[in-house]
C-alpha cells in the first residue's frame, strides 16, 4: 500500500474536479433503489442531490405512492405486505438496470428477507456497477459472494470492521481511530477489488494500493453518497473520482 494521500483545502486531483460533464445528455444515467413505507427520506434526498449532476431515476415500493404521490423519473414497483420492495419486482428492476450506467442501493431498503433476496439477485445478475451502503452491507453478511460482486462500498468503520470479521481479518475499529482505520482499509483492500469508503472523523478511501484521507467537516450524508455515486459513474479512474467527490462535501 502506498503512503496515504491527505486532502484538505485543495483537491488532490484538480483534473477530475474541473472536468465534469457540461451537459446532462452526456452525464450518465444513475439508478437508485431504496425506501420502504416507514423510511424513505434518505433515498429521496440522495435522488434529489444526484439529479442535479446527472440523469437520475429512482425505484421505490408502491406503498410509498400514497405518501408522496407521483415522482418525476420515479418508478413504483410491487411491495411486500410490510411496505418494502417485493421479490416479484425483479424483472422490472433488472430491465431498469439495463438502461442505466450505474446502480446505487440506498440505505433504507429494509432488511426484509424477501427484499434481501432481491438484492442478492441484483448483485449476481447486474452487468452494471452496483454501489452499496452500510445497511445493505450488513444485510448481506450471510452471502459474502454477493458483497464481492458490488462495485463500491460506503460504510462506517464499524460496518467495515464487521465485514473484516466475516473475512477473517482480525482488525476491529470501535471508536474513531485513524491509524486502525488505515490498517482496516488496507487489509480489506487485499481481499476485495473495489473502492472502499469509510466515514468517521475522517473519510478514508482505499482502492488497490492507493489510500486517501479527507477530514470530515460535518458532511451531509445524502449529498456525499450522491456525489460519490455520480463521480464514480462519470470517471474512469475510480480512486481519483471518489476522492474528488469527497472533497466537494468535506
Amino acid at each position: 500500500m502506498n503512503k496515504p494521500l491527505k486532502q484538505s483545502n485543495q483537491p488532490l486531483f484538480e483534473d477530475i474536479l474541473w472536468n465534469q460533464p457540461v451537459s446532462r445528455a452526456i452525464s450518465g444515467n444513475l439508478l437508485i433503489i431504496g425506501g420502504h413505507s416507514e423510511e424513505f427520506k434518505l433515498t429521496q434526498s440522495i435522488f434529489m442531490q444526484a439529479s442535479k449532476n446527472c440523469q437520475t431515476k429512482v425505484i421505490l415500493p408502491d406503498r410509498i405512492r400514497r405518501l408522496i404521490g407521483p415522482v418525476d423519473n420515479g418508478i413504483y414497483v410491487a411491495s411486500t405486505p410490510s411496505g418494502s420492495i417485493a421479490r416479484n419486482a425483479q424483472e422490472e428492476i433488472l430491465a431498469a438496470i439495463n438502461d442505466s450506467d450505474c446502480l446505487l442501493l440506498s440505505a433504507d431498503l429494509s432488511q426484509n428477507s424477501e427484499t434481501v433476496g432481491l438484492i442478492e439477485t441484483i448483485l449476481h445478475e447486474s452487468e452494471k456497477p452496483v454501489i452499496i451502503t452500510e445497511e445493505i452491507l450488513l444485510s448481506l453478511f450471510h452471502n459474502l459472494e454477493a458483497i464481492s460482486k458490488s462495485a463500491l462500498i460506503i460504510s462506517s468503520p464499524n460496518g467495515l470492521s464487521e465485514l473484516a470479521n466475516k473475512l477473517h481479518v482480525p482488525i476491529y475499529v470501535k471508536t474513531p481511530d485513524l491509524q486502525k482505520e488505515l490498517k482496516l482499509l488496507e487489509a480489506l483492500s487485499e481481499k476485495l477489488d473495489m473502492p472502499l469508503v469509510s466515514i468517521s472523523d475522517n473519510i478514508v478511501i482505499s482502492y488497490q494500493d492507493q489510500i486517501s484521507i479527507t477530514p470530515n467537516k460535518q458532511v451531509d450524508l445524502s449529498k456525499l453518497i450522491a456525489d460519490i455515486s455520480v463521480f464514480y459513474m462519470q470517471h474512469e479512474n475510480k480512486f481519483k473520482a471518489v476522492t474528488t467527490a469527497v472533497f466537494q462535501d468535506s
Side-chain angles (χ1 to χ4, degrees):
M1 181 72 67
N2 291 331
K3 183 178 179 180
L5 301 174
K6 295 183 179 181
Q7 178 172 246
S8 184
N9 295 325
Q10 296 294 326
L12 284 167
F13 308 109
E14 290 191 19
D15 57 321
I16 299 291
L17 188 62
W18 304 120
N19 282 284
Q20 290 299 100
V22 296
S23 167
R24 287 177 61 82
I26 59 171
S27 63
N29 293 278
L30 177 66
L31 179 65
I32 301 170
I33 303 177
H36 58 84
S37 59
E38 295 184 2
E39 184 56 65
F40 54 86
K41 289 184 179 179
L42 184 58
T43 293
Q44 188 177 30
S45 182
I46 293 170
F47 170 64
M48 292 172 65
Q49 293 289 348
S51 296
K52 298 175 183 178
N53 298 303
C54 70
Q55 299 180 76
T56 311
K57 291 184 178 180
V58 62
I59 290 178
L60 300 163
D62 57 15
R63 285 281 292 275
I64 295 177
R65 188 196 301 267
R66 61 184 175 81
L67 300 174
I68 60 177
V71 176
D72 288 343
N73 292 315
I75 303 169
Y76 285 112
V77 297
S79 302
T80 65
S82 64
S84 60
I85 295 177
R87 187 72 182 254
N88 62 7
Q90 175 179 314
E91 294 306 317
E92 187 175 1
I93 289 173
L94 290 174
I97 292 171
N98 286 337
D99 292 333
S100 70
D101 296 307
C102 185
L103 171 64
L104 168 65
L105 296 177
S106 186
D108 47 16
L109 262 170
S110 92
Q111 294 192 13
N112 175 285
S113 60
E114 187 173 339
T115 306
V116 171
L118 173 63
I119 292 168
E120 292 172 337
T121 298
I122 289 170
L123 283 163
H124 281 291
E125 296 194 14
S126 173
E127 296 182 358
K128 304 298 174 67
V130 183
I131 296 170
I132 66 173
T133 50
E134 182 168 355
E135 182 179 306
I136 307 301
L137 175 66
L138 297 177
S139 71
L140 292 173
F141 282 156
H142 66 284
N143 191 337
L144 294 177
E145 184 182 357
I147 293 173
S148 71
K149 292 183 179 297
S150 59
L152 183 150
I153 297 172
I154 304 170
S155 177
S156 69
N158 285 353
L160 293 172
S161 294
E162 295 288 351
L163 175 60
N165 181 55
K166 297 294 182 181
L167 293 170
H168 307 292
V169 174
I171 303 173
Y172 200 97
V173 182
K174 293 184 178 179
T175 57
D177 184 325
L178 180 57
Q179 293 308 310
K180 282 188 177 181
E181 288 174 36
L182 292 175
K183 291 179 180 177
L184 172 66
L185 271 290
E186 182 175 356
L188 284 175
S189 290
E190 293 177 359
K191 300 276 189 177
L192 300 167
D193 185 22
M194 68 184 74
L196 304 170
V197 180
S198 176
I199 304 171
S200 184
D201 288 350
N202 293 279
I203 302 172
V204 182
I205 296 157
S206 178
Y207 183 43
Q208 297 175 341
D209 62 346
Q210 302 174 96
I211 194 161
S212 66
I213 305 167
T214 307
N216 183 353
K217 302 173 183 176
Q218 297 183 322
V219 65
D220 178 332
L221 183 60
S222 61
K223 187 174 187 302
L224 178 66
I225 292 173
D227 286 347
I228 287 173
S229 302
V230 171
F231 272 64
Y232 178 94
M233 176 181 66
Q234 291 177 340
H235 297 279
E236 183 174 349
N237 188 310
K238 304 309 182 186
F239 176 75
K240 289 184 177 182
V242 177
T243 296
T244 306
V246 169
F247 172 79
Q248 288 205 138
D249 296 292
S250 60

